Structure formats: C-alpha cells, structure tokens
Amino acid sequence: MMHTPSQTVGPFFAIGLSRTDQHVLDANGAELHGRLLDGRGEPVPDGVVELYDPVTRAWGRSATDAEGVFRFLVPRDASRLWAYVFARGLLRHQLTAIDLPRDGPFDIHLQGEQETTFYAV
Amino acid sequence: MSDVTVDWPDYRSTEFRAPKRPLATLPEELHALEGPVFGEDALQPLDNDLTKQHEGEALGERIVVTGRVLDDGGRPLRGALVEVWQANAAGRYRHEVDRHPAPLDPSFSGAGRCLTDDDGRYRFTTVKPGAYPWGNHPNAWRPAHIHFSVFGRMFTQRLVTQMYFPGDPLFEHDPIFNAVRDPKARELLVARFDLETTEPDWALGYQWDIVLRATPFE
C-alpha cells in the first residue's frame, strides 16, 4: 500500500500539539537546549522539536520560542537521543541525532553551511 | 515516490527552511525501535468531539471524520495517538498569529485527540473547517483541511499531515497540496464522503484511512 504523504504542521500547530508542558523526559534530568535556525541563520520561532530516548523510551516535545529556542530535561545518562523537527515551511519532518553528554546548546540548522545531518526515514 | 517534495519553491516558506543536503542513511537500530506509547491518561472525555468542548455548541456544518490507521501492509495499528487541529467554520484559527478577519467562534477551540481502537479506528466529531487566505502568493487560499498528527507503533512511523475534503476547487491552486507530485499519492490526502458514516439528522460523515510505513519484525 502507498503510505499517506506528509504535509507541513503549518504555523498553528500549537492548537493541537501543546496541550501540556511536555518538555520533560526525566524530571531529575539535565537541561538540553538549543536553537532552531533557518538557512540565513535566523531563528525559527514557529517550529516544534520532539525528542526521544531509545533506552528509557521517554519522549517529549518543545515548541520553539521567539528566539527559536527549544528546551528539554533529559536523562543524565542518556547517550544518543533522536529528534524530529517540524515547522512551517517544512513539508516533511526531519530526523536528527543528538549525542550526549555535550557542553552547551545543540543548534539545529535547517539549511546553509552548517546544515544539520538529517536522516532518511 | 509517494511522499511530499520537501524542496518546493512554490511554497515560499520552504526557501530558507527546506534542507538541501542529501539525507544520511538511517542507522539500522532505528528500524526496530518502537515509538513512545500514550495511554488513556493522555486523553480527556470530550477530546474527540470538537463541537462540545464549550458551553455552547460549535457553529458550522457538523461532520464526523473517521478511519483507520494502518501500516503499509494494511495491518491496523491499535492504540495510536491521533491529534487534530483545524480552523473554525469561518476559516479562522484560535491562534494569536492568525489575523484573517473572519469571526472566532467562542464555542470552538479546534483541537482534538484520540487513541485508535482494536481495529485501528479513530473517530472525531467536529465542524467542517472553512477555507482561508494566506500570504504565499496573490489571492492565495488554502483548501479546507484538518491537520493530523499520528504516532505509529514504530518510532519511524511518525506522521504529520493534512486531510482535505473531496472536490475542493482550491486543490489545483494550493502549493502545499501539490508538493505531493504523484496524483495518486495526493488522492490519499482526500477524505471520502460516506453516507453510511453520515448520522441522520445530525452530521455528514467522512472516511479517511491513514497509511504509515511498514511495521518491521512481525
């Protein structure tokens, strides 16, 4: 069977995808944050990042703020987390890996010289 | 290729947001990775009836939208979290960024969620969303649609998409719909009117199945 194609989340996803504060994968966890940036290096203020720990199977999501910042609390012993990125202008979600521990933010570049590695899924 | 074309200039917001580099090969371990599980505690009683979430009843043409969530082998996926959001009957979203001068409906928030049952079936009662203008190009209007977010069983089965209504005259003018280049794949985004689903003296019925990618290792 052909699978149903993707379409963008558009600018109004917060209506349906942000009922509660869902950024906590582990209440006693460490903060992980970063910015979602477009090809000009401008913040993407209307994106949403979903984070998944394949070991604990903890999941969370964080809409970006006006500066494009997303933030999570993640398990302190996590080694590799997987993130789906959604935004207006992204017709399909993108998948990237976040290796831990890390010092400082994890910025996601949708385009440009520093374009993040996205995986075929 | 039945999926959407990500780098699609007709949809202007893709210009600085669509990734340009070739995608990396998915690591083997992700094929077998199960996704997050959501239970009944993710739901509240009226989550699947968008017409009754307020004191008054939502305005507009009442509809039932139902269908099954399947993998691409046709097997139903049970317990899948389905989230929806939409404009009201006048084509206005309850969101601060939406400046379309159409009325808000105090009795309609436009958000719903449910878990699929043992047959993989979801069901929402709502009102038909209106078409609305947007700034993509001169006189641009989005065809009426409901946004859908679905979590399959496997992590790789995540899907966010939009469901459209049959026979919409705006289809040919909409760059988001047409970013799916294969006409047969576009058809999969369009619900089917169904008299069997239609509730007499109450609501028109639409059927729309959602097909996710394969469920491996079964």
Side-chain angles (χ1 to χ4, degrees), chain B residues 186-208:
Chain B
R186 282 201 295 274
E187 282 175 25
L188 300 180
L189 296 174
V190 182
R192 173 174 61 84
F193 170 72
D194 184 36
L195 201 57
E196 293 288 311
T197 305
T198 296
E199 297 185 3
D201 302 324
W202 190 251
L204 292 182
Y206 289 89
Q207 287 277 344
W208 187 56

Side-chain angles (χ1 to χ4, degrees), chain A residues 34-36 43-47 62-71:
Chain A
R35 286 186 305 160
L36 181 61
V44 174
D46 51 1
S62 170
T64 57
D65 67 15
E67 278 75 50
V69 174
F70 55 87
R71 37 182 100 245

Side-chain angles (χ1 to χ4, degrees), chain A:
Chain A
M1 290 171 84
M2 289 173 77
H3 60 255
T4 308
S6 296
Q7 297 272 268
T8 180
V9 287
F12 307 124
F13 62 81
I15 295 169
L17 298 184
S18 66
R19 159 173 304 169
T20 52
D21 195 7
Q22 297 176 102
H23 75 288
V24 178
L25 282 73
D26 181 339
N28 299 311
E31 176 162 305
L32 171 71
H33 67 274
R35 286 186 305 160
L36 181 61
L37 302 164
D38 73 11
R40 299 165 298 189
E42 298 286 323
V44 174
D46 51 1
V48 55
V49 177
E50 290 184 352
L51 201 59
Y52 192 52
D53 178 359
V55 176
T56 63
R57 297 181 64 184
W59 174 91
R61 72 180 152 203
S62 170
T64 57
D65 67 15
E67 278 75 50
V69 174
F70 55 87
R71 37 182 100 245
F72 294 94
L73 288 178
V74 304
R76 292 184 185 278
D77 55 356
S79 59
R80 174 170 262 203
L81 303 175
W82 291 95
Y84 281 128
V85 182
F86 306 81
R88 173 178 63 83
L90 268 187
L91 281 155
R92 185 172 205 289
H93 52 277
Q94 301 293 317
L95 174 66
T96 192
I98 304 177
D99 289 317
L100 300 173
R102 58 176 300 110
D103 293 320
F106 182 86
D107 290 343
I108 299 173
H109 297 262
L110 292 174
Q111 256 186 28
E113 283 182 13
Q114 300 178 76
E115 184 176 314
T116 297
T117 299
F118 296 114
Y119 292 86
V121 61

